[in-house]
Amino acid sequence: MAYRFVRARPKRDRLPELRERLDGGDIRELEPFGRAMTKSLNDARFDPDTGEAVWVEEDYCTPPLAMERAVLDDYFESVTVVEEHVDEATGWARIEDLPPLWERVPSDA
C-alpha cells in the first residue's frame, strides 16, 4: 500500500457540502478511492499555524492523488503531497496533536 502525507487549504465555504457528502456516503461510493478518502477526510486535522488541513491518504495513483483530485479540488486549494511515501501510522502520529478538522474549521467558517 502507498500512503501520502497531504496538506491543503480548505475552501471554508465549500466544507459544509463536503461534510454532507461524507456523512451521506456519497464520497465512500466513489470507485476505487472512496472508502480510503472518506476515512482520511473524516480523520483529517487542522494546522492552526498554516490554516491547512492535513491528513494521510491511501493512494495508488501516478501522479499521486490523480483520481482523488476530482473531489479534492472542489473543496481545497493548494493540495500538496508533502511526502509521497509515508508509513500510515507514523504519518497520523505526526499530526495527532492537531485539532480535528471538523471540530475547528466549520466553527470558523
Side-chain angles (χ1 to χ4, degrees), residues 33-95:
F33 59 86
R35 287 184 181 271
M37 177 180 277
T38 296
K39 181 185 180 314
S40 295
L41 291 178
N42 277 330
D43 294 341
R45 300 298 183 151
F46 182 76
D47 185 339
D49 292 337
T50 64
E52 295 172 312
V54 290
W55 69 91
V56 176
E57 182 77 36
E58 181 180 339
D59 176 50
Y60 303 94
C61 299
T62 302
L65 303 180
M67 288 187 286
E68 292 86 346
R69 294 298 293 252
V71 173
L72 294 175
D73 287 346
D74 282 343
Y75 303 104
F76 298 95
E77 297 175 319
S78 304
V79 177
T80 304
V81 176
V82 177
E83 193 172 334
E84 284 194 26
H85 302 284
V86 64
D87 175 75
E88 181 183 24
T90 301
W92 285 112
R94 284 173 31 193
I95 58 175

